[in-house]
Amino acid sequence: MDREAVEKLQRAGLKVEQPELLRVAIQRDEQKKVMRLRGEVPVMGNEGLMLVSLEPVTKLWTGSAVPPDLSRTPPPQYQPFFLLLESTAANYCAAVGKPETDDEFERLFRQLRRRPDGDDAHPLFSYLQGAVRLYLSLRDVSQAEFEAVVNRLSQSARWHSTHVGSTNYYREVLHGLFGA
């Protein structure tokens, strides 16, 4: 958790006690092309949009909590984390006007787990990373919990994949989430 980021978001009127209601806003350039996030994370709440400087993922891990088995429905305390990540993915797909493939979602979540502060050419990676940085700034999450959540998302994308090019994860899980 990053108390400085929490205070800054609260002063801006954002409801930090419900991170699942916050959004990482999709940014576009002058040609309306979705841009990769660099540095600051654009956070959208009921009170509007604000750019926030957040620490890297690896600096935000807190404690040594061991996650429960997430192979089934996640326990209620993990649902806001899942919702923030999945709504970010859904909003990205809505912004670009097409769903990502199941294979690409799986790859991006795997990359996020392996290299949480890394870089990827796909713009969606930076938004997923921004959502993780936002959530970890608001809640205490251990490295093991982070890895378990992101691993579960990667597995979910893989489970929904039926063939090369399938978009079942988007259609069956993400579609309909918060504006998608």
Side-chain angles (χ1 to χ4, degrees), residues 100-171:
E100 289 299 326
T101 65
D102 301 332
D103 292 342
E104 188 63 6
F105 275 122
E106 179 187 359
R107 185 190 74 77
L108 290 169
F109 286 128
R110 215 175 40 244
Q111 173 81 337
L112 186 59
R113 187 186 75 241
R114 287 192 342 243
R115 299 187 56 220
D117 293 328
D119 199 19
D120 192 274
H122 197 302
L124 176 53
F125 182 81
S126 68
Y127 289 94
L128 294 172
Q129 202 173 48
V132 168
R133 291 169 55 208
L134 175 60
Y135 190 83
L136 270 58
S137 294
L138 302 176
R139 297 286 182 273
D140 289 335
V141 178
S142 70
Q143 179 178 354
E145 290 174 305
F146 158 78
E147 289 175 352
V149 166
V150 177
N151 187 56
R152 174 63 169 84
L153 290 168
S154 176
Q155 289 174 346
S156 184
R158 184 175 57 239
W159 291 332
H160 284 87
S161 181
T162 55
H163 59 279
V164 173
S166 71
T167 58
N168 296 326
Y169 177 67
Y170 174 81
R171 287 186 307 103

Side-chain angles (χ1 to χ4, degrees), residues 60-97:
L60 291 167
W61 289 326
T62 306
S64 57
V66 177
D69 176 16
L70 297 179
S71 63
R72 304 244 187 264
T73 301
Q77 69 268 27
Y78 288 88
Q79 289 176 357
F81 196 5
F82 279 96
L83 279 171
L84 183 56
L85 285 167
E86 291 182 326
S87 66
T88 298
N91 287 336
Y92 176 87
C93 292
V96 298

Side-chain angles (χ1 to χ4, degrees), residues 6 10 13-22 80 138-139:
V6 169
Q10 284 175 324
L14 298 176
K15 297 185 185 328
V16 298
E17 62 278 355
Q18 294 180 291
E20 68 275 17
L21 299 181
L22 299 175
L138 302 176
R139 297 286 182 273

